[in-house]
Amino acid sequence: MAKNLWREKGMVNLAEKIYEMTGENVYLCYLCGKCGAGCPMADKMDYLPYQVIHMIQINDMESLNAKSIWICATCFTCSVRCPRNLDVARIMDGLRTIKVRAQEQTIDLREVEDLDKLPPIALVAAGRKYT
Amino acid sequence: MRILYYPGCTVKATAIRDEKASLAVLEALGFKIVEVEDWVCCGAVYNLPRDTVIQAVAPIRTLIRAESTMRKHKTSEILLTLCSMCNHVLKMADNMYRSNPDVAYKLDVYLSDEPNYEGKLKIMHFLEILRDLVGYDKIKEKVRRSLGGLKVASFYGCLLLRPREVAIDDSEDPIVIEEIMIQLGADPVDYPYRNECCGSYNVVRTPEYVWDRTKDIVESANDYGAEIIVTTCPLCAYNLEEGQKRRKKELKGREIPILYVSELVAYAFGLDDALEPEVKVLIDRMVRDRG
């Protein structure tokens, strides 16, 4: 298991942090895999949504470094299908927000190719999610 | 009936075709459109953490200005949106403001330079207005030029249908675009990818993933015999169109033109002035080829 920096520093655990931020209780998840099965971006992800949730349950900080949380396009397919009524997209956004609030941005809009061709909606959305 | 209208950033830029056609259709159906004065961008995506309200500031500012426009021009409380993402964001912010008094108070403090939001508006997407205010029968009456059994694949994308509290139709089995297409004399195609995500804003950072995605969508529509794909989201339209160009070599089957729902409605209503000439020529040719 990855080193638990927050606990060493006397901070709350990841599941509590996510609960505080998003109001979603990750311990409700019983890992049925429905979110991963229906996810349109699943084939690009390193950890499927339920695997990310499992990592949060066991307080594995590696979940914050998962590529998946940036590949999730917040399409809510998982959220409407979850049998436990967990808003999975919201949990993913919670993880992203932890990273973004720690100033770990994943995009520099100046380096985007096709910048002049992309519709404004894409740039605004990417700016809000990745920075 | 006078209704408010919130365009949003992209409808005024790359999706101007959609605006022209939609407004012409609604005017033909007897609506008077009043654009919200001094509207601001909604933010396109709604950030979901609940411990902050900053994501709702821009949409609520727009809604406040919509309310002032409503009072000034004596319109009804209906606020029209054309873009799926604007529709999603405005509804999410409106829900958040109405359902949580603490959030409402915080937002009022943030927006102290504006009057308070009264929560009187009813935000409706173009498709909802066609379905709930106009009705399918009246659409059928207005048709001047049938689409002659054109095989239309509707692409809903994600944010029109999800999450449930802001959805315009069922998340898994939506029907509204198909119903409208039937009234226009088209033949809707039922294919499995119609309510899936196109990859959305990932096009900025990892476009390859989006092109893979759109290739799957277009191939699936092709397999089910679609001749045209219609959507209401300017980002889906861009991704699907650009994705086909980028994956030209790998794509099985033909390239399929991507149009907005409003353009087919405008064509069927005979509103030629509202269509771009090349779009009109394209639909003309497709309908004629079918005989």
Side-chain angles (χ1 to χ4, degrees):
Chain A
M1 210 173 108
K3 225 171 143 192
N4 188 342
L5 291 173
W6 282 0
R7 189 165 284 167
E8 276 171 23
K9 290 182 185 165
M11 292 171 92
V12 289
N13 75 19
L14 194 50
E16 274 173 33
K17 178 83 183 162
I18 290 291
Y19 181 72
E20 228 172 66
M21 283 176 78
T22 65
E24 299 296 321
N25 176 6
V26 291
Y27 295 117
L28 284 175
C29 171
Y30 49 30
L31 306 174
C32 69
K34 202 167 183 179
C35 45
C39 178
M41 304 304 274
D43 56 332
K44 315 284 189 243
M45 286 184 169
D46 48 356
Y47 297 102
L48 293 172
Y50 65 92
Q51 291 172 317
V52 173
I53 291 179
H54 185 55
M55 286 156 91
I56 304 173
Q57 287 176 342
I58 60 175
N59 208 22
D60 184 349
M61 293 301 150
E62 204 44 44
S63 57
L64 285 167
N65 299 326
K67 253 170 64 190
S68 306
I69 61 174
W70 303 103
I71 293 169
C72 165
T74 331
C75 74
F76 297 99
T77 308
C78 44
S79 302
V80 298
R81 289 181 184 170
C82 179
R84 298 291 278 164
N85 254 335
L86 266 179
D87 196 340
V88 185
R90 205 180 277 271
I91 295 169
M92 291 294 218
D93 221 15
L95 292 173
R96 268 198 294 267
T97 308
I98 292 175
K99 292 294 262 188
V100 168
R101 285 184 189 166
Q103 307 278 310
E104 294 181 44
Q105 306 176 354
T106 59
I107 193 170
D108 185 350
L109 285 175
R110 285 166 300 188
E111 287 163 14
V112 174
E113 34 175 330
D114 305 328
L115 194 61
D116 46 343
K117 256 176 89 182
L118 284 166
I121 193 170
L123 295 171
V124 175
R128 304 249 324 197
K129 287 286 184 190
Y130 297 141
T131 59
Chain B
M1 190 177 189
R2 292 161 76 87
I3 55 172
L4 292 159
Y5 163 53
Y6 172 69
C9 57
T10 308
V11 170
K12 288 286 184 196
T14 54
I16 194 97
R17 283 160 47 199
D18 187 22
E19 180 184 47
K20 249 170 95 182
S22 305
L23 298 189
V25 164
L26 289 175
E27 270 158 21
L29 288 163
F31 292 96
K32 292 264 175 302
I33 312 286
V34 181
E35 191 172 315
V36 173
E37 287 172 4
D38 294 329
W39 54 267
V40 292
C41 172
C42 65
V45 285
Y46 193 77
N47 284 357
L48 298 166
R50 291 187 222 252
D51 61 347
T52 166
V53 296
I54 197 69
Q55 69 272 39
V57 171
I60 293 290
R61 190 185 294 277
T62 294
L63 293 178
I64 291 171
R65 290 178 182 175
E67 277 184 340
S68 346
T69 315
M70 174 174 85
R71 281 190 292 271
K72 192 168 156 196
H73 293 276
K74 304 228 171 2
T75 67
S76 64
E77 77 287 3
I78 288 159
L79 176 61
L80 160 73
T81 56
L82 302 180
C83 164
S84 307
M85 288 175 117
C86 299
N87 179 60
H88 165 83
V89 172
L90 292 184
K91 281 181 179 169
M92 290 290 270
D94 186 48
N95 269 357
M96 188 166 164
Y97 190 97
R98 288 186 199 205
S99 61
N100 192 334
D102 287 350
V103 169
Y105 173 75
K106 265 191 204 163
L107 282 167
D108 288 343
V109 174
Y110 266 110
L111 293 162
S112 53
D113 54 332
E114 308 264 354
N116 281 1
Y117 178 48
E118 290 169 29
K120 280 186 185 153
L121 296 169
K122 185 166 167 46
I123 301 152
M124 287 180 99
H125 189 259
F126 175 67
L127 295 174
E128 281 180 293
I129 291 194
L130 289 189
R131 181 188 61 192
D132 300 340
L133 296 185
V134 179
Y136 298 136
D137 296 340
K138 203 168 165 211
I139 297 176
K140 195 167 192 172
E141 277 169 28
K142 279 272 177 190
V143 173
R144 298 278 165 277
R145 200 157 40 180
S146 165
L147 293 179
L150 188 71
K151 296 254 186 217
V152 180
S154 34
F155 185 72
Y156 288 85
C158 38
L159 295 183
L160 270 185
L161 306 173
R162 295 183 286 265
R164 280 211 184 87
E165 59 267 27
V166 300
I168 69 159
D169 206 349
D170 189 272
S171 316
E172 302 291 352
D173 191 17
I175 200 161
V176 47
I177 301 182
E178 277 86 354
E179 285 281 6
I180 292 170
M181 288 303 137
I182 290 172
Q183 311 311 322
L184 306 181
D187 182 10
V189 174
D190 187 7
Y191 69 113
Y193 280 82
R194 66 201 176 101
N195 61 345
E196 293 226 350
C197 176
C198 67
S200 189
Y201 52 82
N202 270 331
V203 69
V204 178
R205 201 174 62 112
T206 45
E208 291 305 311
Y209 295 175
V210 176
W211 310 148
D212 286 351
R213 201 63 216 138
T214 50
K215 178 173 160 280
D216 291 347
I217 294 166
V218 172
E219 277 179 359
S220 165
N222 239 326
D223 287 345
Y224 286 78
E227 291 168 285
I228 207 163
I229 297 180
V230 291
T231 181
T232 61
C233 174
L235 187 51
C236 296
Y238 172 82
N239 284 351
L240 288 170
E241 217 168 270
E242 192 67 19
Q244 292 187 75
K245 281 183 209 149
R246 301 295 175 103
R247 287 278 183 273
K248 210 170 193 164
K249 280 187 196 130
E250 295 92 334
L251 191 73
K252 290 188 212 97
R254 301 166 295 108
E255 277 187 49
I256 305 183
I258 314 292
L259 293 183
Y260 293 102
V261 174
S262 54
E263 288 177 304
L264 281 190
V265 184
Y267 179 86
F269 284 11
L271 305 168
D272 288 347
D273 295 344
L275 293 172
E276 294 291 307
E278 61 268 23
V279 173
K280 165 140 196 313
V281 170
L282 175 85
I283 308 174
D284 262 341
R285 201 185 62 226
M286 295 191 109
V287 174
R288 199 180 51 232
D289 285 353
R290 299 195 61 80

